[in-house]
Amino acid sequence: SYELTQPPSVSVSPGQTARITCSGDSLSKQYTYWYQQKSGQAPVLVIYKDTERPSGIPERFSGSSSGTLVTLTISGVQAEDEAHYYCQSADSSGTYEVVFGGGTKLTVL
Amino acid sequence: QVQLQESGPGLVKPSQTLSLTCTVSGGSISSDDYYWSWIRQHPGKGLQWIGYIFNSGSTYYNPSLKSRITISVDTSKNQFSLKLRSVTAADTAVYYCAEVRGENGMDVWGQGTTVTVSS
């Protein structure tokens, strides 16, 4: 089945830039979505359609895409950004199967 | 603003059927702008998509669960439901329902409900 690959963990100091990657064969053909999940809470959509930011999401969150690699960038990381981040996309073979990446734990040092 | 609330038993015996309901408030489940999804999260693990349903009644399921699941909509109650048959301990998880705003992603999630499969 289709898979999305994320690094298990990323660590940055406050004020620095965090970059979380997601790779998958179909990412050049399907949109990618990013979700933030803080401990004990439901996920929250922070980026949709590769680069769009929902209302209410801080401008420091941005997304980019290059072929089969997409990146979530958090500029000027704050302590409150410590969370798990999941990318999500869909199989491009016509099955409509939705797939999540394994998740990346962002630690703010 | 749409809100979602999952409900159902927190404990299910092995081999039985897990039944969960997601109640939609603040909006109509019949809206053509949305469709509806179930996602689960095993303890300490990542997110797993279960399936989704369109207003037309069309459903799409995770291939790994397809033989055991049914997702349905009750427009009169503004609810959609998940049934997962023949559960085992491996189905113990937090189950979330979510609104999918087309290509804009899963923009509203329920708070999640914990289901434990145990005798």
Side-chain angles (χ1 to χ4, degrees):
Chain A
S1 63
Y2 181 50
E3 294 185 353
L4 297 176
T5 302
Q6 298 181 236
S9 62
V10 169
S11 299
V12 297
S13 299
Q16 290 189 328
T17 296
R19 295 180 178 85
I20 299 172
T21 59
C22 175
S23 63
D25 291 342
S26 292
L27 292 185
S28 60
K29 305 169 192 172
Q30 296 284 352
Y31 286 127
T32 303
Y33 305 83
W34 289 95
Y35 301 89
Q36 175 195 66
Q37 187 179 34
K38 296 182 179 180
S39 180
Q41 298 182 20
V44 173
L45 179 69
V46 294
I47 295 290
Y48 66 97
K49 291 202 292 187
D50 296 344
T51 61
E52 301 296 317
R53 191 175 56 249
S55 61
I57 301 301
E59 291 183 5
R60 63 181 182 274
F61 288 86
S62 64
S64 61
S65 176
S66 178
T68 58
L69 184 73
V70 295
T71 304
L72 172 68
T73 300
I74 310 171
S75 305
V77 166
Q78 301 182 5
E80 68 196 49
D81 299 330
E82 184 163 289
H84 282 89
Y85 291 84
Y86 296 92
C87 61
Q88 176 250 303
S89 190
D91 189 345
S92 63
S93 67
T95 65
Y96 296 95
E97 181 182 355
V98 170
V99 180
F100 287 95
T104 299
K105 174 62 188 296
L106 174 66
T107 300
V108 182
L109 300 170
Chain B
Q1 172 73 354
V2 170
Q3 293 184 311
L4 307 179
Q5 179 67 60
E6 305 89 349
S7 59
L11 181 64
V12 182
K13 288 182 167 51
S15 78
Q16 293 191 340
T17 296
L18 179 162
S19 296
L20 296 175
T21 296
C22 183
T23 300
V24 179
S25 59
S28 172
I29 200 168
S30 299
S31 171
D32 289 337
D33 294 332
Y34 314 117
Y35 52 100
W36 310 96
S37 188
W38 287 98
I39 305 97
R40 71 180 182 179
Q41 186 168 34
H42 294 106
K45 302 297 184 183
L47 302 170
Q48 182 185 33
W49 174 69
I50 297 172
Y52 49 66
I53 186 166
F54 292 86
N55 293 328
S56 64
S58 296
T59 53
Y60 294 91
Y61 298 146
N62 186 317
S64 69
L65 299 170
K66 185 176 183 177
S67 64
R68 296 195 293 131
I69 60 177
T70 300
I71 298 176
S72 59
V73 167
D74 187 336
T75 55
S76 68
K77 295 182 179 179
N78 229 33
Q79 296 175 335
F80 64 105
S81 299
L82 168 70
K83 291 189 185 298
L84 178 61
R85 297 176 289 278
S86 305
V87 297
T88 69
D91 295 308
T92 293
V94 176
Y95 286 76
Y96 295 99
C97 60
E99 168 197 276
V100 188
R101 188 188 291 256
E103 290 184 330
N104 292 352
M106 301 179 193
D107 65 341
V108 180
W109 293 61
Q111 65 184 26
T113 187
T114 299
V115 178
T116 300
V117 179
S118 175
S119 56

